[in-house]
Amino acid sequence: MSLMGATVATVLMPATAARATGTVHEVQMLNKHPDSNERMVFHPDIVEAQPGDTIRFVAADPAHNSVSYDDMLPEGAEGWKTRMSQDAEVVVGAEGAYGYYCQPHKALGMVGLILVGDASGNYARLKEARLRAPREKQRWEDIFARADEIVGGTA
Ligand SMILES: [Cu+2]
């Protein structure tokens, strides 16, 4: 099984080998942030992982999913799109930064970031992605402000 790129773990393609060696990071899909009044959030919205780790998107509230941005993936990594209102697992193989959003709530800024290993290779490029909705843009600015310190601050 190749660990390059991200693959959605399904019944047909269980990422058993990857999960056996990697850590599982849970991301809750929520209508409201547990500690603030923010609506429609991935929690946590920044995950630090290592190649081969699994990101488990938990459908704690219904009507959410996770979709990778085409222009927010490491070179050569595959994107993903999970089913609405369902738990789903994505194995992150390639080192780098991955941006994703919730399809119904993209414009409301329901977005998240996964940093795998040394993410400096494509992290700066994520900031150049074109974002149309003001709240989407605002959430990304907030995420980047926190992620800068993790990636190195100069990115
Ligand atoms: Cu959503």
Side-chain angles (χ1 to χ4, degrees):
M1 175 185 296
S2 169
L3 291 182
M4 295 303 290
T7 51
V8 176
T10 67
V11 176
L12 292 174
M13 192 166 49
T16 313
R19 260 185 291 169
T21 57
T23 302
V24 177
H25 307 266
E26 281 200 356
V27 175
Q28 306 277 323
M29 302 188 281
L30 301 172
N31 292 347
K32 184 190 168 296
H33 192 285
D35 309 315
S36 78
N37 289 322
E38 295 258 45
R39 297 274 166 185
M40 309 306 177
V41 293
F42 289 103
H43 180 68
D45 58 2
I46 300 176
V47 169
E48 290 177 76
Q50 294 302 318
D53 282 0
T54 297
I55 313 300
R56 179 181 294 155
F57 293 101
V58 179
D61 289 326
H64 302 290
N65 72 345
S66 169
V67 186
S68 57
Y69 285 85
D70 290 338
D71 51 359
M72 291 196 186
L73 292 170
E75 185 94 23
E78 287 172 41
W80 68 83
K81 178 178 176 181
T82 75
R83 290 187 183 175
M84 202 68 67
S85 305
Q86 288 188 22
D87 291 0
E89 296 187 342
V90 171
V91 178
V92 283
E95 202 164 53
Y98 298 70
Y100 62 90
Y101 59 90
C102 166
Q103 209 164 10
H105 304 118
K106 186 171 185 259
L108 296 178
M110 186 165 171
V111 299
L113 176 68
I114 304 163
L115 300 170
V116 179
D118 176 3
S120 63
N122 73 319
Y123 176 70
R125 205 155 44 75
L126 265 62
K127 295 182 173 182
E128 294 162 14
R130 209 179 275 177
L131 305 168
R132 281 181 296 175
R135 288 180 69 180
E136 180 189 14
K137 205 177 284 186
Q138 190 186 331
R139 282 268 178 86
W140 272 114
E141 280 171 12
D142 176 63
I143 288 172
F144 286 140
R146 284 176 281 133
D148 279 355
E149 295 177 26
I150 299 167
V151 181
T154 54

